[in-house]
Amino acid sequence: KTCKLWDANTGKLFHTFEGHTAEIVCLTFNPQSTLVATGSMDRTARLWDVETGCEAGCLTGHTSEIVSVRFNQLGDMVLTGSFDHTVGLWDVESRTRLRTLIGHRGEISSCVFNHEGTSILTGSLDKTCKVWDVETGRCIETLRDHTDEVLDVCFSPSGLLLCTASADGQAFVYDTADWDIVSNLTGHEDEISAIRFNPQGTKVLTVSSDKTARLWDAFQGTCLQVLEGHTGELFAGMFNYDGDTIITGGKDNTCRLWR
């Protein structure tokens, strides 16, 4: 039920964020690193001041747990994806809900802004992904190529591509100009839990319940490397800022760095 903020260099504990009444299942910094947003099984999202450690706001209104929270690049809006099948779009300063994105027929698994903050991408356990217009809240495209639950989604840094990951063991890279599939990332032997582009937008990282992570060419769909070593299912993976280091987290209770 708590979130802790640490100094990455010294390991010193800065703050413990307390206020949620059930497990915290997702969190993120805003791009300015002044706020942390947390989503919880208690059906609320909370904003926390990084400097003071105090709660800066509580976002209420969802009727089920919140499993995804993401800020836009300016840090003035935040998304909350919930198992109530909806995504909330919130104004950070006033802590008010601007829009509710309604259209999925299953629980939301992931939601994210594009870099410009003009579009929102959502993934759902209903096996679809949807792209929404931020200004109007209208769904502008539904992607239906997966045959099982969609577990994660992301835009490339340029916003020209997007990627989706599913329990069907596949990931698709799409062109956001026409929504055509650019590449199909096939090779995992179990569900793909998380997916990320590298900062250059040329490679894709997938992590899977098959205990491996894979690095792919985003355009050709070829597997460049299989990262093996974890002894349990993987559920998280990320590039560093330069894109030359990868970190993965697994149910074997370890995180591993790959270069």
Side-chain angles (χ1 to χ4, degrees), residues 167-221:
D168 63 14
Q170 296 189 96
F172 293 109
V173 178
Y174 293 87
D175 187 327
T176 58
D178 53 18
W179 313 115
D180 285 344
I181 294 175
V182 175
S183 58
N184 181 355
L185 313 183
T186 303
H188 280 294
E189 298 175 359
D190 207 336
E191 64 183 37
I192 300 175
S193 311
I195 193 162
R196 289 291 182 275
F197 281 96
N198 68 340
Q200 295 76 26
T202 57
K203 298 176 182 177
V204 174
L205 173 69
T206 56
V207 303
S208 170
S209 295
D210 68 8
K211 306 178 186 177
T212 72
R214 290 176 181 250
L215 190 62
W216 310 80
D217 183 296
F219 298 95
Q220 301 300 319

Side-chain angles (χ1 to χ4, degrees), residues 118-178:
T118 55
S119 298
I120 294 166
L121 175 62
T122 58
S124 170
L125 304 193
D126 67 7
K127 308 178 187 179
T128 72
C129 306
K130 290 180 181 289
V131 183
W132 312 76
D133 180 78
V134 169
E135 187 67 29
T136 64
R138 184 176 64 88
C139 177
I140 57 178
E141 185 66 28
T142 300
L143 307 174
R144 308 178 187 272
D145 297 293
H146 285 293
T147 58
D148 207 338
E149 300 170 348
V150 175
L151 302 179
D152 199 17
V153 295
C154 64
F155 280 104
S156 65
S158 67
L160 298 178
L161 302 174
L162 66 83
C163 205
T164 64
S166 171
D168 63 14
Q170 296 189 96
F172 293 109
V173 178
Y174 293 87
D175 187 327
T176 58
D178 53 18

Side-chain angles (χ1 to χ4, degrees), residues 43-73:
R43 300 178 292 180
T44 72
R46 293 172 190 259
L47 303 178
W48 310 88
D49 188 295
V50 168
E51 186 67 28
T52 66
C54 296
E55 184 177 315
C58 183
L59 311 180
T60 61
H62 282 292
T63 58
S64 191
E65 57 258 47
I66 294 172
V67 298
S68 184
V69 287
R70 294 288 182 88
F71 287 95
N72 67 342
Q73 196 64 29

